[in-house]
Amino acid sequence: MELLQQKFFGITFFLVDACTVLNSNTHTLLLLLIILIFGAFGGYLNYLHNFDIAESKRDESKRDKSKQDKRKYVLLGVGSAILVPAFFRMIASDLVKFVEPFDTNNYLIFAGFCLVAAIFSRRFIKTIGDKILDTVKKAEINSKEVREEIKTTKLELHSTQERIEDVKASVNLHGIHQVSAESFTSTNDDELLELVDSFIERTSLPDYSDRLKMKAELGRKMGQLIVRNKLSKNELLSKHPKEGMYLALAYAIELSPEADSLDLLGKIANRANQLYTKYVILIAYRTLASSGFIPQDMVREVVSIVERFREKADRPLTRNIDDTLNVLRFIDSTI
């Protein structure tokens, strides 16, 4: 034991002498020596006294210890001392960062941390391990949330681009009012019904973004056919009660809002099943509100319809609901 102490103090004095000539390489070497020396010494102390186990089990654990057990304790101590820099990084400490002029007293503090970590090696390693695993889990959760935010942002950007295209289409549609209805053939009617009948099949795509894009393209095209051919929206709803027609009518109302569109949109809203159809219906409600086709005495009825959309709503639909309610508050601030 005395020989071990002499060696320990001899190495300590060597470290003190090395501190007189400091550079980055010497600094790194000193840290490694401190980790090895104080980690081994702390592991040996733990071997002698079992500091990191319960008091009731210490006497039992002291029995029949071999040289192999001693090596295990020493290696465990060195291993826990190696984790001390990671511990400093976790608590954002710059204690051992080499910045001239470097306070050599920091080496003593670092050595003390290594010694304590080695003495209580099992508990220290478990604590650091738990914190690292917890950090990894939080990073995974944050990464997942960021991916969801990016995905939502892309969908909202895509929807915004669709709205711009709809406005352009609406301008073009209003510009063709000079053309007589006879100039359109029944082929357009047939095309509309064909799109409505095949809407579910065409939009049954495995990729979520591709599915939304297809629904948007078909919906806009069907809405434009309804407006261009001046088809009776109520007649279409009664004769073809299908999801594709609900979306087509919602787009048609958005493109060409009229005084009787509010009642029709309420009927569509009560029948629509798909989230994207509800999404377009909400935009149509905002279009009617901005066009002055939602009177104040009808606002609460519209609000009740909009609120029903919250059931099983995804994040984009929920945001759309909130945006629609904010627009309706301009008509009736009491809602």
Side-chain angles (χ1 to χ4, degrees):
M1 184 67 181
E2 292 181 358
L3 180 61
L4 179 64
Q5 290 178 345
Q6 290 176 0
K7 290 182 178 180
F8 174 74
F9 286 117
I11 296 173
T12 304
F13 289 133
F14 168 76
L15 294 177
V16 173
D17 292 337
C19 292
T20 58
V21 183
L22 270 182
N23 55 48
S24 59
N25 293 330
T26 305
H27 175 72
T28 303
L29 178 61
L30 287 174
L31 293 181
L32 290 174
L33 288 174
I34 290 173
I35 288 173
L36 292 174
I37 295 167
F38 285 87
F41 183 62
Y44 182 71
L45 291 178
N46 192 25
Y47 166 76
L48 295 176
H49 300 285
N50 295 297
F51 289 104
D52 62 344
I53 63 175
E55 183 72 29
S56 60
K57 296 183 179 180
R58 285 182 184 174
D59 294 336
E60 182 181 348
S61 62
K62 287 179 181 178
R63 301 169 188 169
D64 301 327
K65 285 186 175 179
S66 63
K67 291 184 178 181
Q68 186 176 1
D69 292 327
K70 184 190 298 184
R71 286 194 294 270
K72 288 180 180 179
Y73 274 89
V74 171
L75 290 175
L76 195 61
V78 173
S80 62
I82 292 174
L83 293 176
V84 172
F87 170 73
F88 285 153
R89 176 60 64 90
M90 292 173 64
I91 63 175
S93 172
D94 294 331
L95 180 70
V96 294
K97 185 177 181 180
F98 184 74
V99 179
E100 293 184 351
F102 184 78
D103 186 359
T104 55
N105 290 325
N106 290 346
Y107 288 125
L108 297 177
I109 300 173
F110 180 69
F113 271 101
C114 290
L115 184 63
V116 172
I119 290 174
F120 300 96
S121 54
R122 289 189 180 91
R123 278 186 265 177
F124 184 76
I125 292 174
K126 185 178 184 304
T127 300
I128 296 298
D130 290 341
K131 287 186 177 295
I132 291 175
L133 291 176
D134 185 58
T135 302
V136 170
K137 289 180 181 178
K138 289 181 179 179
E140 290 178 352
I141 293 173
N142 292 335
S143 176
K144 185 177 180 180
E145 290 178 351
V146 169
R147 288 197 298 268
E148 289 294 330
E149 288 291 338
I150 292 174
K151 186 175 181 179
T152 300
T153 302
K154 287 182 178 179
L155 291 176
E156 291 178 348
L157 178 61
H158 182 70
S159 297
T160 301
Q161 292 171 341
E162 291 171 358
R163 302 283 78 74
I164 295 174
E165 293 177 13
D166 288 341
V167 171
K168 292 179 179 179
S170 179
V171 172
N172 293 333
L173 290 172
H174 287 300
I176 63 172
H177 65 276
Q178 302 93 336
V179 184
S180 62
E182 289 77 11
S183 63
F184 297 101
T185 65
S186 60
T187 305
N188 289 321
D189 299 352
D190 296 337
E191 182 181 1
L192 171 64
L193 297 181
E194 192 276 329
L195 291 175
V196 169
D197 292 336
S198 63
F199 175 76
I200 299 297
E201 180 182 354
R202 292 192 182 197
T203 57
S204 297
L205 302 175
D207 185 77
Y208 182 66
S209 59
D210 290 342
R211 188 162 62 250
L212 289 184
K213 184 177 180 180
M214 180 60 69
K215 288 181 180 181
E217 291 176 354
L218 291 178
R220 285 198 305 274
K221 187 172 184 179
M222 292 186 294
Q224 291 169 5
L225 288 172
I226 293 173
V227 175
R228 282 179 180 148
N229 287 284
K230 299 181 180 179
L231 303 177
S232 171
K233 301 182 184 68
N234 284 291
E235 185 177 346
L236 289 173
L237 179 61
S238 61
K239 288 185 176 181
H240 308 282
K242 299 179 180 180
E243 191 71 27
M245 184 59 75
Y246 304 152
L247 180 61
L249 292 171
Y251 266 109
I253 292 172
E254 181 187 350
L255 290 171
S256 181
E258 299 172 346
D260 61 345
S261 296
L262 181 61
D263 181 62
L264 175 65
L265 194 58
K267 295 177 182 178
I268 299 171
N270 290 326
R271 300 183 185 187
N273 294 314
Q274 294 188 359
L275 295 181
Y276 187 78
T277 306
K278 295 178 181 179
Y279 192 96
V280 177
I281 289 172
L282 290 173
I283 297 174
Y285 269 124
R286 296 209 295 271
T287 302
L288 291 178
S290 60
S291 301
F293 290 127
I294 301 182
Q296 186 173 2
D297 59 344
M298 294 295 295
V299 171
R300 292 191 176 276
E301 182 179 341
V302 175
V303 169
S304 65
I305 295 174
V306 171
E307 287 289 356
R308 286 201 298 270
F309 283 2
R310 290 192 186 276
E311 184 179 357
K312 298 181 180 180
D314 58 5
R315 187 177 298 180
L317 182 59
T318 301
R319 290 183 179 180
N320 202 354
I321 291 171
D322 294 334
D323 291 342
T324 304
L325 293 176
N326 289 332
V327 172
L328 293 173
R329 288 189 182 97
F330 285 104
I331 303 175
D332 187 352
S333 59
T334 63
I335 61 172

